[in-house]
Amino acid sequence: MRLIFMGSPDFSVPALHGLIKAGHEVVAVYTQPPRPAGRGKALRRQPVHEAADALSIPVRTPEKLRHNEEELAFFQGLNADAAIVAAYGLILPEAILNAPRLGCLNIHASLLPRWRGASPIQSAIRAGDAESGVCIMQMDKGLDTGAVILSEATPITATDTAGSLHDRLAEIGARLVVHALTEQPTPIPQDDSRSCYAPRLERKDGQIDWNRSAVEIERQVRAFIPWPGSYTLLEGQTYRIGAVTLPDEAETAALIASAPAPGTVLDDRLTIACGTGCLRIDRIQKPGRAMMDRDAFLRGTKLTKGMRLD
C-alpha cells in the first residue's frame, strides 16, 4: 500500500521498519520538529526522523496541522491509501483524518478503551493492571475513541517498568499494524463506559506521596522508569528513587507496629513507612551524583532511623 507514517519517539520506530519490511511504500513521514535537548540544549531530531532519513524517506515536520491549509494540501496530494499514526504528538484535524483512502490508523499502547490519552503505559502499571497491550484503531475526531481493528495483550509482570513494557508493546504494535493492513478486519466500536483517562505526565508528577500505600508507591516507581522518574525530598534536597521492594508481611508488621508517620525512616536499610505498610529503597540518587544501590548510598550518606522524607 501507499502509506504516510506519522510518529515521533522510539515507540514509533519499529512500526516504520515493519511497514517497510512488509513491502509497503511509505511516501512521507511526519514527525515532531527537532527540539532542544541535553545540557547544551542543542536541537535534536526525533527518533523517527533519524530512522526515516536512514531509509531515504521524505520527512515533514510541521509545528501544527490545524488551520494549516498548505500542509493539508500537501498531505492530500500524497494520495495515500492510509496513514499510520504512532505517538505522533499532534492532534489530527478531521480533514487530515479523512484524506487517505482508508483513513488514519493509530497504534495505541493500551487495550482500549481501558486507557485513553498520553500515558497509557505508565497508567496501566501504576493502576496494577494484570495486562496491557496494543490496539490498532481507526482514528476519529475523538481522543482515542475510534473503533478497534485488531488488538493483542501482554501480561504486566511484577518487575515490569514503563521502559520494559514500552519496548514490548512497540514490537507488538509493529507486527500488529502490518496484520491490520493485510487482513483489514471489521472495526469494532469501543464501549465508552469502560474508558479511563491517562493524562500527560510532567516531572512534578514523580514526587512520592508517602501517605499512599506501599503497594501504590512501588507501582509508581516502576511506572515512572525511565520518565518522569520518582523522587522524594530530604532536608530540602531532591533524591531520585530508582528501585524499591516490599518487605514480607512479617517484617512489615514488625516495622510498623509503632504506627510511624508516613515518610519515616524505620531502620538502617532505607525502609520507609508509607500510609499503609512500608517499602525498602534499593536504588537512590543524591543531588549531583549517579544512581547507586542502597549500600553504596548509605556508606556516604547518614540517614538514621526516625528521619523523615517528604
Side-chain angles (χ1 to χ4, degrees), residues 74-242:
F74 182 88
F75 191 92
Q76 291 171 328
L78 291 171
N79 297 317
D81 293 308
I84 306 302
V85 184
Y88 175 38
L90 288 182
I91 294 174
L92 306 189
E94 197 165 2
I96 290 285
L97 294 173
N98 294 333
R101 180 175 63 86
L102 299 175
C104 298
L105 308 186
N106 180 242
I107 304 172
H108 185 75
S110 166
L111 295 174
L112 290 167
R114 174 58 173 156
W115 292 110
R116 295 173 176 172
S119 61
I121 296 174
Q122 294 92 336
S123 295
I125 295 175
R126 199 176 185 188
D129 289 2
E131 62 180 7
S132 181
V134 172
C135 285
I136 307 301
M137 178 190 70
Q138 184 77 53
M139 295 181 71
D140 61 19
K141 61 183 179 180
L143 176 64
D144 300 328
T145 56
V148 174
I149 298 170
L150 278 179
S151 65
E152 182 177 325
T154 184
I156 298 177
T157 72
T159 59
D160 263 327
T161 64
S164 64
L165 183 56
H166 164 283
D167 293 349
R168 204 155 68 245
L169 295 178
E171 294 300 328
I172 292 173
R175 174 165 37 82
L176 210 60
V177 73
V178 171
H179 290 170
L181 291 172
T182 302
E183 300 166 17
Q184 298 187 36
T186 301
I188 300 174
Q190 296 185 45
D191 179 357
D192 293 341
S193 68
R194 295 174 50 232
S195 71
C196 300
Y197 178 61
R200 187 173 299 278
L201 297 171
E202 301 178 16
R203 288 194 181 278
K204 64 181 179 63
D205 295 318
Q207 183 167 5
I208 293 172
D209 179 0
W210 294 106
N211 291 296
R212 300 179 74 87
S213 73
V215 170
E216 289 176 297
I217 296 171
E218 188 271 342
R219 289 173 183 162
Q220 174 190 320
V221 171
R222 289 189 291 114
F224 287 2
I225 295 172
W227 197 90
S230 295
Y231 67 92
T232 189
L233 301 179
L234 174 64
E235 298 178 341
Q237 291 191 305
T238 300
Y239 288 76
R240 303 189 69 80
I241 308 300

Side-chain angles (χ1 to χ4, degrees), residues 6 30-33 60-77 88 90-97 99:
M6 310 179 82
Y30 277 73
T31 189
Q32 289 280 303
R60 308 282 290 186
T61 59
E63 288 283 355
K64 65 175 185 176
L65 292 174
R66 283 183 170 180
H67 310 298
N68 188 340
E69 296 303 319
E70 181 180 349
E71 198 61 53
L72 172 60
F74 182 88
F75 191 92
Q76 291 171 328
Y88 175 38
L90 288 182
I91 294 174
L92 306 189
E94 197 165 2
I96 290 285
L97 294 173

